[in-house]
Amino acid sequence: MSDHHTIFALASGGGRAGIAVYRLSGPAAAAALQALSGRPLPPPRRAQRRRLVDAAGLVIDEGLVLWFPAPASFTGEDVVELQLHGGRAVAAAVGDALLGLGLRPAEPGEFSRRAFAAGKLDLTQAEALADLVAAETAAQRRQALAQMDGALGRLYDDWRQRLLRAQAHLEAEIDFAEDDLPGGLSEAARQALAELAGQIAAHLADGGRGERLRDGLSAAILGAPNVGKSSLLNRLAGREAAIVAATAGTTRDVIEVHLDVDGFPVTLADTAGLRAAAEAVEEEGVRRARARAETADLRLVVFDATALPALDPASLALVDDGALVLFNKCDRWTGVLPASLAGRPVQAVSAASGQGLNEVLHAMGRRAGQLLDGGGAPALTRARHRRALEDSLAAIRRALDEGLPELVAEDVRVATQALGRITGRVDVEEMLDVIFREFCIGK
Ligand code: GDP
């Protein structure tokens, strides 16, 4: 898996910048730094200013160099960091010089992969690192940081340890049935398994909170044509919330903007008007709007206040517990709005004047908080983890239904392996450790 090549990469990403950071990792990193700087290595972990030269002795650039001897480095290997001036020409010259010294450009994720191989990170932490780099809102950043800190890995590892213990008990009972072992082992194992099954099931039933936080909550603006959906989307996107440019389809298609609502990522979609359309294109738009409405985490159902007392029945049908009900064009309406609609409170807004829009954003933020905030408990963040947990839970449940000790043990082994896939720890030796530590069989 990990070769002994020394790799390098522009860690700070391409393009013009004041400073660019290059990272080198592997056994030849130290020699490369000495060759580039023409001087002995600096003391470990202390920045030093050096002039870097190429093979012909011509100056490439001047900057700070850092030396992290193994194993106290990100990858666990010898690592060198070069902080040079940003820009394409410097990058090209550094790249050429490093290639000339026999180093090879790193593959995507290769530094993290080496860190994983060296036991510096488990897989959930490596994934969290990628999430942190991609995080766009405060809540996403916090979730990635907690996972990088190992909160999720510790939870899964703890479960796995408990499964290993149950497995050891069960297998010991099978293998050493005649010997003098403490009694009631399989009952203890059974209880541990039942408890674990409950905890995994509860963790899985979190409503996809962590995954939604990674991907962003989906919200849809729904309503009849001309109630002001597009105008509202534009106004909302133009507020403090907008973080990314709109990805626009046709006016009859779904238009999305990415919003940062109180630190939560929300992808807000404007959908074509809900009505039985004559034109085929519009029909497609309506179909998509319906699909959106069905899958959205958060619905903003918009009515036209100036059309009162008439209420669009198709829109009314979309008002449920998770919906925010908005009456738009309140700048042109002086009458009284209904206090609630289908049991939901009503908000008066105007895309034209901006009235009520901060309240809408706050209501969206509260709803996002309800859906995404788990009160600090580590959240399931990826479909990969979910699948493995589901496999593990299914195997534990099979084990609980099983009568034959050999089959129970086999199911528990499958459950342990499924959990091990999440953090990347799949190890038979550990099993033996548990057996020998807890039973001291044969001393
Ligand atoms: P959509 O079909 O629901 O997306 O509606 P649009 O956003 O295209 O708006 C339809 C019409 O209503 C346009 O002429 C807008 O200028 C107008 N409109 C939208 N919001 C308001 C508002 O708050 N007040 C007033 N007076 N007109 C609005």
Side-chain angles (χ1 to χ4, degrees), residues 224-231 270 328-332 349-352:
N226 287 319
V227 295
K229 295 181 299 298
S230 308
S231 311
D270 168 27
N328 189 34
K329 308 193 187 179
C330 277
D331 53 298
R332 284 191 20 220
V349 298
S350 164

Side-chain angles (χ1 to χ4, degrees), residues 42-412:
R45 295 174 294 280
R46 293 262 294 278
Q48 285 213 340
R49 190 181 166 138
R50 294 280 165 95
R51 178 171 290 175
L52 303 187
V53 293
D54 64 16
L58 298 172
V59 176
I60 297 172
D61 193 9
E62 201 171 297
L64 294 181
V65 302
L66 282 147
W67 158 233
F68 303 92
S73 72
F74 175 69
T75 56
E77 304 176 320
D78 283 348
V79 167
V80 165
E81 262 183 40
L82 310 172
Q83 301 182 4
L84 305 176
H85 293 103
R88 297 256 287 273
V90 177
V94 173
D96 284 348
L98 292 172
L99 286 172
L101 290 167
L103 277 64
R104 119 173 127 62
E107 307 282 345
E110 197 169 3
F111 286 92
S112 302
R113 184 159 184 165
R114 289 186 176 199
F116 168 68
K120 294 267 170 186
L121 297 170
D122 71 24
L123 286 184
T124 66
Q125 288 171 310
E127 286 167 333
L129 196 62
D131 287 350
L132 184 62
V133 174
E136 287 183 327
T137 74
Q140 287 176 317
R141 176 177 57 76
R142 282 194 296 270
Q143 171 165 291
L145 267 180
Q147 186 173 327
M148 212 166 79
D149 187 40
L152 205 55
R154 278 194 297 276
L155 178 70
Y156 298 153
D157 264 347
D158 171 55
W159 288 348
R160 203 169 138 270
Q161 290 298 332
R162 284 156 63 184
L163 277 174
L164 275 171
R165 211 170 303 131
Q167 191 183 340
H169 287 177
L170 289 161
E171 296 197 352
E173 194 174 63
I174 296 165
D175 293 347
F176 307 101
E178 313 300 321
D179 299 355
D180 279 346
L181 281 173
L185 277 182
S186 67
E187 196 39 47
R190 177 170 294 272
Q191 255 173 32
L193 291 178
E195 197 177 300
L196 202 54
Q199 287 175 356
I200 296 178
H203 183 63
L204 279 167
D206 69 348
R209 148 174 87 81
E211 291 139 298
R212 274 162 153 171
L213 182 50
R214 268 189 79 233
D215 301 341
L217 216 57
S218 65
I221 303 188
L222 303 155
N226 287 319
V227 295
K229 295 181 299 298
S230 308
S231 311
L232 279 170
L233 180 93
N234 288 332
R235 282 303 284 244
L236 288 170
R239 305 223 137 207
E240 73 249 33
I243 49 175
V244 181
T247 47
T250 71
T251 49
R252 287 195 175 112
D253 207 328
V254 179
I255 299 173
E256 291 185 339
V257 291
H258 299 270
L259 308 179
D260 178 340
V261 184
D262 293 347
F264 297 108
V266 176
T267 301
L268 179 61
D270 168 27
T271 53
L274 291 166
R275 73 171 164 199
E279 288 174 65
V281 196
E282 195 157 286
E283 212 171 297
E284 174 61 16
V286 172
R287 197 191 59 71
R288 287 190 199 181
R290 291 237 159 84
R292 272 279 173 176
E294 274 159 25
T295 57
D297 298 313
L298 217 153
R299 303 173 198 189
L300 277 57
V301 185
V302 184
F303 295 89
D304 185 344
T306 63
L308 277 168
L311 289 168
D312 177 51
S315 306
L316 208 50
L318 292 171
V319 179
D320 65 6
D321 280 354
L324 300 179
V325 180
L326 312 182
F327 273 88
N328 189 34
K329 308 193 187 179
C330 277
D331 53 298
R332 284 191 20 220
W333 171 251
T334 49
V336 184
L337 296 180
S340 68
L341 217 58
R344 298 290 301 158
V346 157
Q347 283 181 273
V349 298
S350 164
S353 73
Q355 177 198 335
L357 295 186
N358 281 338
E359 286 76 6
V360 172
L361 285 172
H362 286 139
M364 287 170 72
R366 276 197 301 278
R367 180 96 184 106
Q370 285 164 6
L371 290 171
L372 299 180
D373 200 348
L380 221 174
T381 51
R382 290 188 183 239
R384 185 182 81 78
H385 305 174
R386 185 173 288 281
R387 271 197 305 278
L389 287 165
E390 283 166 353
D391 289 351
S392 185
L393 181 59
I396 295 174
R397 288 189 169 145
R398 277 200 306 276
L400 286 168
D401 285 343
E402 197 56 69
L404 272 179
E406 283 79 3
L407 294 180
V408 176
E410 172 59 15
D411 284 332
V412 174

